[in-house]
Amino acid sequence: MKKLLTRRILIPIFAASILFTGSAFKNDFFEIAKQIEIFTTLFKELNMNYVDETNPGELMDSAIKSMINNLDPYTQFYNEQDVEAERIKRTGDYTGIGANIRTLKDKLIIIEPYKDYPADKAGLKAGDQIIKINGVSIEDYKDDAVNLLKGAPNSTVDVTYLRLGKENTATIKRSEIEIDAVPHFSMINDKTGYIVLSKFNTKTTSQTSYALKDLKAQGAENIILDLRNNPGGLLSEAVNIVNLFVPKGQLVVTTKSKVKKYNKTYYTQKEPLDTEIPLVVLINGNSASASEIVSGSLQDLDRAVIVGSRSFGKGLVQRPKLLTYGTQLKVTISRYYTPSGRCIQALDYWNRDEEGNATRVKQENYHVFKTKNGRKVFDGGGVLPDENLDNSKLSPITKAISGNFLIFDYATEYYYKNNIEDINSFKLTDADFTDFKNYVNASDFNFETKTEKALAEVLLEAEKEELDKEIQKDYNTLINNLNQSKNKAIDKNKEQILGLLTDEIVKRNVYREGLYEYYKIHNEEIKTATQILAKPSKYQSYLK
C-alpha cells in the first residue's frame, strides 16, 4: 500500500514538472499528453512487475535527470535542498559556518574560510578536510553532508578534520552569513577607483552604487569594474548596473523566446550616477551570463573599454518554475541580445557532435554588429575585449591542472612550509616552479589531449583490421612525443600557472580581501586598465 501511494504521488510530480502554460504547450498538447501517458503506464508496470525491489524515487530522479541532460546544462531540476541553495545564491544570506566548501565522497574540503566568520574564528583553513560532523562520518553519510553544517544562529557544531594528515577537532558556533556582491572596493591611485563585483544577487545594485559614490567622494576620476570570475546571476541586477553609467530609457538587453510572453526588452529605469566618468571593465573566460550582459552592453554603447580575455559565452536566460512538494524546475526560456543585436552564446547544445558534446560556434560563422559609434563587434563567442590580453586566457593544460586541484593542493603545502613576511612583495621563483612541476609529475594527473584520443581511435581500428602490430611502434613513438610536448606546454604556460599559484598562496595568508590589495600592485589586467585610464586620448581611441 505504501509503495502504491508513493507511485501515485511521484507520477503527478513528473507530470507537473513538464506541464507549464504557454503557446508551445498548447500547440503540442496532444503529443505531450501522449508521452505522459506512455511514461506513467511504463513507470507503473516497471515498479509493479520488476523482479527485484525498486526505489520509485531514485528511478524518477534518474528519469528526470536523463531527460534534462539532453538539453543544456542550465536547465535543471531542484529538490527541496537545491531550492534553498538557489535562494542563497539570489540573496547571499544563509546560516552556517561561513566557508566555501568542496564536497567529495568521504570528506568535505575547506576551499576558503570567509574572514571573521565562524569557520575562520574556529581556526579552520583552506585545505582542511572535514571527515566528521557531530560524530557522523562523512564517508558513511548518504545525503549531502554540507547540510550537517547548517543550523540555527548561535547553535554549535563539532567537526573533526585532517590537516597535513593530522586529526583535529573544533567546535564552531554558527551565525548568519552575508555574501557580499561587492567584496572589495578601494582607490588604486589618487584618480582611479577599483570595484570588484563578484556576483549578481539582490545586493548587487545597492553595494555597487555605494562603492561608486564612496570612491568618487575619495576623488576617483576613473573607475575599473572587475567582473573577472563572476558567473552571473539576476538579469535585472545586470540592467541596474548598466544603468549606473548610462542614461534613463536606454535599451540594455532583449530576450527572445518561442513563448511570446518571454519576449522582453529591458531599458534603464532610473537616473544614472555618472554617464561621463571613464570606465574600464575587466573580464575573463569565467565571466558569464549577467557579467556578459553588463560588459557586452557597455561595449555596444561605447560606454566602457573592455580589457582581459574573451568571456565565457552564455547567452541563455533561465527562469525558475515552481513544481509540487517544494521542488523547482529552472528552465532555459530564451536567448538574450545586447543593444547591437548580438547573442554571445558560444556553445550549441542543440546540434551536438558524434560524441554528444555541445559544439562551439566557429569563428567563420560569427556575424558582425555595430556599436553606437560604429565599431565592429561579433556574436557567437562571448564578449571579445577591446584590449585582449593573451595571458589572461587560461590554456587547456592550465585549466586541467587547476581543475584537478593541483594548484590548490600545492598551495596548501606551500603555506605550511613557508613563512611570508611581506605579502605585497611576494613572488614565486623559478625554483618554486620546478618544485611544482615535480609535484604534478608525482601526482596521478593525466591530461588527455584531443590528439591522444584520435590516435587511440586509430589504434583501435587498426586492431580490428589486424594492422596494430605494424603501427604499434609508431603509435608509441607518437605518444612519447606527445608526453614530451605536454611537459613543454607546462613550461610554455609558466607565467599563467605561477599567477594562479600566487593568487592561492596570497589568499591563504591575507584572505580574499588581501588578494585584491595584492592585485592592485601586481595584476597585469589592472596595470593595463590603469594605463589606459591615465591617458584620456588613449581611452577615447578605443571607443571611436
Side-chain angles (χ1 to χ4, degrees):
M1 184 66 186
K2 185 177 179 182
K3 277 189 179 181
L4 188 58
L5 180 63
T6 304
R7 293 186 200 109
R8 287 175 177 170
I9 290 172
L10 282 168
I11 292 170
I13 291 175
F14 175 75
S17 72
I18 61 174
L19 284 177
F20 52 88
T21 59
S23 61
F25 169 70
K26 291 172 185 175
N27 293 339
D28 297 331
F29 180 86
F30 174 76
E31 185 63 25
I32 293 174
K34 172 185 171 182
Q35 297 305 324
I36 289 174
E37 186 176 355
I38 291 172
F39 181 86
T40 52
T41 53
L42 179 149
F43 190 75
K44 173 185 172 183
E45 295 298 332
L46 184 66
N47 281 283
M48 289 180 64
N49 298 302
Y50 190 70
V51 63
D52 293 322
E53 285 293 315
T54 59
N55 185 316
E58 289 183 0
L59 283 175
M60 182 61 74
D61 192 59
S62 297
I64 292 172
K65 289 178 179 177
S66 179
M67 176 174 62
I68 288 175
N69 283 343
N70 286 323
L71 304 174
D72 62 83
Y74 313 111
T75 296
Q76 297 178 346
F77 170 73
Y78 292 144
N79 59 30
E80 297 93 327
Q81 291 79 21
D82 297 329
V83 170
E84 173 61 13
E86 281 297 295
R87 184 199 67 78
I88 291 169
K89 284 184 182 179
R90 289 195 304 272
T91 64
D93 297 334
Y94 69 100
T95 299
I97 67 170
N100 181 11
I101 296 172
R102 177 188 177 208
T103 303
L104 295 179
K105 185 178 180 180
D106 58 346
K107 60 198 169 194
L108 303 176
I109 298 179
I110 303 291
I111 297 298
E112 178 186 0
Y114 303 138
K115 186 178 181 182
D116 295 331
Y117 276 113
D120 180 40
K121 290 180 179 178
L124 269 69
K125 296 185 179 297
D128 288 346
Q129 302 173 12
I130 298 176
I131 56 174
K132 288 183 183 179
I133 301 174
N134 285 335
V136 177
S137 171
I138 306 298
E139 189 175 11
D140 299 330
Y141 194 70
K142 301 303 180 184
D143 296 320
D144 189 352
V146 171
N147 293 324
L148 295 173
L149 295 172
K150 299 175 183 177
N154 298 318
S155 63
T156 59
V157 57
D158 295 322
V159 300
T160 303
Y161 63 94
L162 297 177
R163 178 182 293 169
L164 299 179
K166 183 181 178 182
E167 193 170 295
N168 302 273
T169 59
T171 298
I172 306 173
K173 187 176 182 180
R174 300 181 180 97
S175 73
E176 293 183 354
I177 311 298
E178 294 185 8
I179 304 174
D180 288 329
V182 177
H184 178 90
F185 69 91
S186 63
M187 297 292 289
I188 290 179
N189 54 42
D190 60 347
K191 291 185 178 181
T192 305
Y194 174 55
I195 302 173
V196 179
L197 178 49
S198 63
K199 52 180 58 68
F200 287 84
N201 59 25
T202 56
K203 296 181 174 69
T204 297
T205 303
S206 59
Q207 291 187 352
T208 307
S209 176
Y210 177 85
L212 181 58
K213 291 175 182 177
D214 188 283
L215 291 171
K216 288 184 68 177
Q218 293 183 52
E221 298 176 8
N222 309 300
I223 293 293
I224 297 173
L225 180 63
D226 195 342
L227 295 179
R228 290 175 298 174
N229 303 313
N230 184 323
L234 301 176
L235 184 150
S236 58
E237 292 294 307
V239 175
N240 291 339
I241 294 303
V242 175
N243 198 172
L244 296 177
F245 302 101
V246 304
K248 181 179 178 180
Q250 172 63 55
L251 174 65
V252 175
V253 64
T254 303
T255 60
K256 296 181 182 179
S257 170
K258 71 176 183 180
V259 182
K260 289 183 178 179
K261 69 177 182 178
Y262 297 142
N263 293 336
K264 292 190 176 182
T265 52
Y266 294 83
Y267 293 86
T268 51
Q269 300 293 318
K270 301 175 182 179
E271 293 300 326
L273 285 183
D274 196 323
T275 62
E276 300 296 330
I277 191 167
L279 175 66
V280 169
V281 178
L282 305 181
I283 61 172
N284 64 9
N286 292 322
S287 303
S289 189
S291 297
E292 295 174 296
I293 291 175
V294 171
S295 55
S297 297
L298 291 172
Q299 186 180 53
D300 282 1
L301 299 171
D302 295 302
R303 180 60 189 89
V305 175
I306 314 301
V307 171
S309 57
R310 190 186 292 275
S311 65
F312 180 81
K314 180 178 181 287
L316 305 174
V317 179
Q318 288 72 45
R319 174 170 291 189
K321 291 289 183 179
L322 297 178
L323 307 178
T324 51
Y325 298 97
T327 62
Q328 278 188 14
L329 172 69
K330 187 175 80 169
V331 58
T332 296
I333 60 167
S334 58
R335 291 178 175 84
Y336 72 77
Y337 299 79
T338 59
S340 67
R342 57 179 169 151
C343 179
I344 50 78
Q345 177 66 26
L347 292 175
D348 185 350
Y349 297 105
W350 300 272
N351 296 289
R352 297 173 182 259
D353 62 20
E354 294 178 353
E355 297 178 356
N357 299 316
T359 56
R360 182 168 288 277
V361 178
K362 295 181 180 179
Q363 192 165 343
E364 57 264 29
N365 294 328
Y366 291 175
H367 300 95
V368 179
F369 296 82
K370 296 290 184 68
T371 70
K372 188 176 180 180
N373 289 340
R375 296 186 298 138
K376 290 182 179 180
V377 288
F378 302 89
D379 65 358
V383 176
L384 180 66
D386 302 306
E387 182 61 45
N388 194 28
L389 303 179
D390 291 337
N391 200 49
S392 64
K393 179 183 178 181
L394 296 184
S395 67
I397 196 159
T398 303
K399 286 182 181 178
I401 290 172
S402 180
N404 279 268
F405 282 83
L406 292 171
I407 287 174
F408 179 85
D409 293 339
Y410 182 84
T412 299
E413 291 190 9
Y414 190 97
Y415 172 75
Y416 290 109
K417 289 179 180 177
N418 298 272
N419 181 32
I420 302 172
E421 295 182 1
D422 181 10
I423 198 67
N424 285 330
S425 62
F426 171 67
K427 186 179 174 76
L428 289 168
T429 65
D430 290 342
D432 292 324
F433 184 64
T434 299
D435 189 52
F436 176 72
K437 285 198 298 181
N438 293 335
Y439 180 84
V440 171
N441 290 331
S443 71
D444 57 358
F445 172 67
N446 181 30
F447 174 57
E448 186 178 31
T449 64
K450 290 182 180 180
T451 305
E452 282 175 289
K453 290 179 182 179
L455 285 173
E457 290 176 5
V458 169
L459 184 63
L460 184 63
E461 289 300 318
E463 288 174 353
K464 292 178 182 178
E465 297 174 1
E466 299 182 357
L467 300 173
D468 56 304
K469 290 181 181 178
E470 295 161 17
I471 70 167
Q472 183 73 54
K473 184 179 179 181
D474 291 335
Y475 173 81
N476 291 337
T477 300
L478 285 169
I479 291 298
N480 183 57
N481 290 339
L482 270 173
N483 288 331
Q484 291 180 26
S485 179
K486 283 191 284 188
N487 287 330
K488 290 178 181 177
I490 294 178
D491 289 330
K492 185 179 178 181
N493 290 278
K494 176 181 176 181
E495 294 305 316
Q496 199 171 78
I497 292 169
L498 284 178
L500 293 177
L501 278 170
T502 299
D503 288 356
E504 198 63 53
I505 293 166
V506 169
K507 198 164 55 175
R508 303 299 174 95
N509 285 270
V510 289
Y511 300 90
R512 184 168 292 275
E513 292 81 354
L515 176 61
Y516 295 129
E517 291 293 337
Y518 184 87
Y519 277 171
K520 286 160 55 176
I521 301 171
H522 299 281
N523 184 258
E524 199 60 41
E525 290 93 320
I526 292 176
K527 286 181 180 179
T528 300
T530 305
Q531 291 166 3
I532 290 172
L533 289 167
K535 296 180 179 180
S537 59
K538 185 175 184 180
Y539 173 81
Q540 289 297 330
S541 69
Y542 284 95
L543 304 177
K544 293 179 179 178

